């Protein structure tokens, strides 16, 4: 039976260097926030204090890298790399999924829902969108604490991998969300702040202001295609099947997944094409990881060692 020990001096040195690098780059290139040193101290404390908390911190690295990479997209906005697709995506959406209304006027689904919405739908939309990151992370923790460390690690690494694929595509093809066209037309306006769009109705209904706070810190509004909102619960659903989770959980994940897809369009945060893009990136990322990378022996050994490290 393998004995778990506290980190040695080498591991502590690596941790300190990584935290220092993260804080330095973030402070110089993104902007220093009070929560950054608090998180660094908490991570260091949990890594050192007990073997159990060390294993948990190491297991959460893929999610930490996701958060850091999202934040670091502020260093180089994607609209400085390639032109932003504003009108072509809108016209494609209207051509493929347009809804004909009175006098042969054609609306995108987003425009249709902006005119036809209901309080109960606004509430459900807010509920579903609040699940997009917390529920997958809680699902990962559930796998971890249930002892399914290998399945957890595959889930966490695919979660990170799909995000990195999506972020790369944001730079290849910057795209404006539907609410941008509704508010600003087809002209590119650099530095446009994030907008709550249809989710503002949930904030007004509940008085919580959650989405206003979230979208005020949006790393890049020209990152609509693919919709990574549409990806996260799909990843969780796929791994709930692989891990043979209880039927109730699998059904719940499927419902939330479908709810997020609908909400993305209903609230004008994404086109249907964006949602399809998010689904496609998820499937591609899963297949590449499980049936491509995991068949490369050095990578497979790395994952095995990683799983062993967090399992002891």
């Amino acid at each position: 039976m393998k004995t778990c020990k506290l980190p040695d001096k080498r591991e502590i040195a690596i941790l300190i260097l990584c935290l220092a690098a993260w804080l330095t780059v973030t402070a110089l290139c993104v902007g220093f926030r009070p929560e950054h040193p608090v998180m660094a101290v908490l991570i260091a404390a949990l890594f050192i204090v007990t073997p159990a908390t060390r294993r948990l911190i190491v297991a959460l690295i893929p999610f930490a890298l996701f958060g850091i990479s999202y934040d670091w997209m502020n260093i180089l906005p994607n609209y400085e790399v390639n032109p932003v697709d504003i009108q072509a995506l809108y016209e494609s959406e209207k051509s493929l999924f347009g809804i004909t209304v009175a006098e042969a006027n054609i609306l995108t689904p987003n425009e249709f829902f902006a005119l036809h919405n209901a309080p109960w739908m606004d509430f459900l939309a807010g509920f579903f969108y609040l699940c997009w990151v917390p529920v997958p992370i809680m699902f990962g923790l559930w796998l971890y604490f249930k002892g399914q460390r290998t399945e957890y690690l595959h889930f966490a690494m695919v979660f990170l991998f799909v995000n990195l694929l999506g972020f790369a595509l944001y730079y290849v093809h910057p795209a404006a969300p539907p609410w941008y066209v509704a508010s600003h037309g087809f002209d590119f306006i650099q530095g446009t702040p994030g907008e709550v769009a249809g989710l503002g109705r949930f904030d007004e209904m509940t008085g919580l202001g959650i989405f206003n706070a979230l979208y005020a810190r949006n790393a890049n509004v020209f990152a609509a295609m693919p919709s990574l909102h549409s990806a996260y619960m799909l990843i969780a659903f796929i791994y709930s099947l692989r891990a043979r989770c209880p039927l109730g959980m699998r059904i719940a994940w499927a419902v939330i997944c479908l709810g997020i897809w609908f909400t993305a369009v209903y609230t004008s945060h994404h086109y249907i094409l964006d949602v399809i893009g998010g689904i496609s990136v998820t499937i591609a990322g899963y297949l590449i990881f499980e049936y491509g990378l995991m068949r490369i022996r050095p990578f497979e050994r790395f994952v095995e060692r990683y799983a062993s490290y967090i399992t002891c």
Side-chain angles (χ1 to χ4, degrees), residues 159-199:
F159 184 92
L160 173 62
F161 184 52
V162 168
N163 272 286
L164 295 179
L165 288 176
F167 294 166
L169 289 173
Y170 291 160
Y171 284 92
V172 172
H173 181 247
W179 63 257
Y180 181 92
V181 174
S183 299
H184 307 292
F186 298 125
D187 295 327
F188 169 69
I189 304 173
Q190 183 172 327
T192 302
E195 186 173 313
V196 71
L199 290 169

Side-chain angles (χ1 to χ4, degrees), residues 106-171:
I106 300 177
L107 303 177
T108 65
N110 312 102
E111 293 168 332
F112 179 84
F113 285 125
L115 298 173
H116 303 85
N117 49 71
W120 68 270
M121 294 175 70
D122 296 333
F123 182 82
L124 285 177
F127 167 78
F128 284 130
Y129 240 46
L130 286 174
C131 296
W132 72 291
V133 168
V135 172
I137 292 177
M138 288 189 291
F139 170 65
L141 291 174
W142 182 85
L143 287 175
Y144 180 87
F145 286 111
K146 287 288 288 186
Q148 298 191 56
R149 302 293 168 86
T150 299
E151 288 298 334
Y152 160 79
L153 188 56
H154 280 233
F155 165 71
M157 294 183 76
V158 169
F159 184 92
L160 173 62
F161 184 52
V162 168
N163 272 286
L164 295 179
L165 288 176
F167 294 166
L169 289 173
Y170 291 160
Y171 284 92

Side-chain angles (χ1 to χ4, degrees), residues 48-86:
I48 294 171
V49 66
T50 69
T53 55
R54 169 176 57 91
R55 292 194 300 272
L56 178 60
I57 287 297
V58 173
L60 290 174
I61 286 175
F63 292 105
L65 291 177
F66 151 67
I68 292 170
S69 58
Y70 178 82
D71 203 25
W72 281 7
M73 283 198 294
N74 285 295
I75 296 174
L76 179 64
N78 64 344
Y79 56 76
E80 294 183 3
V81 176
N82 279 307
V84 178
D85 182 351
I86 302 174

Side-chain angles (χ1 to χ4, degrees), residues 2 58 149-154 157 289-290 293-312:
K2 184 164 59 173
V58 173
R149 302 293 168 86
T150 299
E151 288 298 334
Y152 160 79
L153 188 56
H154 280 233
M157 294 183 76
F289 183 89
E290 293 291 355
L293 296 177
M294 286 302 297
R295 293 186 177 180
I296 301 173
R297 187 52 190 158
F299 184 82
E300 184 183 26
R301 285 198 298 268
F302 163 74
V303 175
E304 289 172 352
R305 290 195 299 269
Y306 195 164
S308 176
Y309 190 93
I310 65 174
T311 301
C312 67

